Amino acid sequence: MDSYTQSIRGTGSVAEVIAIYDDHCTTYEKMICEEGKYKGPFILVEAVTKEVPECRRKEVRVLDVAAGTGMVGVALAQKGFTNLDALEPSEGMLKCLRSKNVYTNTFHEYVGQGHTNVPQGCYDLVFAVGGMGYNHIPFTGVLEFVRFAKPGGLVMICMRHDEEDYLTKLNEYMNSLEEQQLWKKVFSTPIKDYLIGTDGILFVYQVL
């Protein structure tokens, strides 16, 4: 694990994590993605393109949660997606994201502190890659994902697999939402070497 990732994981609060992202926004992609260190965005894009046929990509409305510098949005735009919105708590990251001109609407907000200003019930696809974990989006934040999506819409979560306590609580909470018939699990799959030798997991749910 490199020093940048260690600094993120060792930070004590969400505000401090956001400050680190602000400080590194212009070098983030080079630091974290060079030499294939971070496979999460590419795995997510592959999963999205498998779920959404090419004939529908111009019409589906997509929300990228914890969108960072917009790497996933750029890749999806190259695959034919044209209706992309982004939510990101770091102003520095959001500035980099906006410069890429692939997102229609951007929201400078943090998921996990109550309702946001993101429109509810209107997205065909809501996803987060790298945003779930300690000092990032709390596991209860997935309820907002459900609210963002329209009935029948998909929610995808791509994340690291080594934060066992967080992952246990997340799984329990996601199961509780399924028991409440708010969504149903489509599938989950492990990811080898998701981030710098750390394995990950992809969850896919459909909102009811």
Side-chain angles (χ1 to χ4, degrees):
M1 186 180 302
D2 62 13
S3 60
Y4 173 75
T5 309
Q6 286 178 328
S7 69
I8 290 291
R9 285 174 60 81
T11 301
S13 72
V14 171
E16 290 172 326
V17 169
I18 292 172
I20 291 174
Y21 282 123
D22 281 337
D23 290 342
H24 293 86
C25 61
T26 58
T27 56
Y28 172 81
E29 293 185 21
K30 177 176 173 57
M31 286 191 302
I32 203 71
C33 295
E34 66 181 1
E35 299 175 358
K37 289 180 181 178
Y38 184 26
K39 298 179 181 178
F42 310 105
I43 292 164
L44 192 284
V45 169
E46 182 180 359
V48 169
T49 54
K50 284 181 178 179
E51 293 296 325
V52 182
E54 190 170 356
C55 62
R56 293 194 62 232
R57 292 177 190 173
K58 289 185 177 181
E59 66 186 55
V60 297
R61 191 170 182 185
V62 179
L63 179 65
D64 183 353
V65 179
T69 58
M71 289 186 296
V72 175
V74 170
L76 288 178
Q78 292 171 347
K79 298 290 186 180
F81 291 85
T82 60
N83 201 351
L84 304 167
D85 292 349
L87 183 154
E88 169 56 44
S90 162
E91 181 61 41
M93 292 288 207
L94 205 54
K95 184 177 180 180
C96 292
L97 177 153
R98 287 170 175 152
S99 72
K100 294 174 179 175
N101 298 315
V102 297
Y103 293 95
T104 304
N105 301 296
T106 58
F107 303 94
H108 181 211
E109 299 197 49
Y110 171 70
V111 174
Q113 296 179 333
H115 291 294
T116 70
N117 292 316
V118 177
Q120 309 238 328
C122 65
Y123 289 99
D124 300 284
L125 172 63
V126 178
F127 65 78
V129 52
M132 305 297 296
Y134 293 122
N135 302 328
H136 286 64
I137 299 173
F139 63 87
T140 54
V142 296
L143 180 57
E144 283 298 292
F145 297 5
V146 174
R147 290 174 175 152
F148 297 152
K150 63 175 62 173
L154 294 178
V155 174
M156 295 186 175
I157 299 168
C158 190
M159 60 180 289
R160 59 194 307 147
H161 197 272
D162 61 339
E163 298 179 337
E164 293 183 7
D165 184 55
Y166 178 94
L167 191 58
T168 297
K169 292 177 180 178
L170 174 64
N171 270 305
E172 291 173 351
Y173 190 72
M174 292 193 298
N175 289 340
S176 75
L177 297 182
E178 191 164 19
E179 290 169 0
Q180 296 172 57
Q181 298 185 342
L182 296 178
W183 66 2
K184 65 178 181 180
K185 190 173 185 179
V186 180
F187 68 87
S188 64
T189 186
I191 301 167
K192 181 69 173 175
D193 292 330
Y194 164 83
L195 169 64
I196 316 175
T198 299
D199 291 339
I201 188 166
L202 171 66
F203 297 100
V204 179
Y205 284 82
Q206 185 176 41
V207 174
L208 301 177

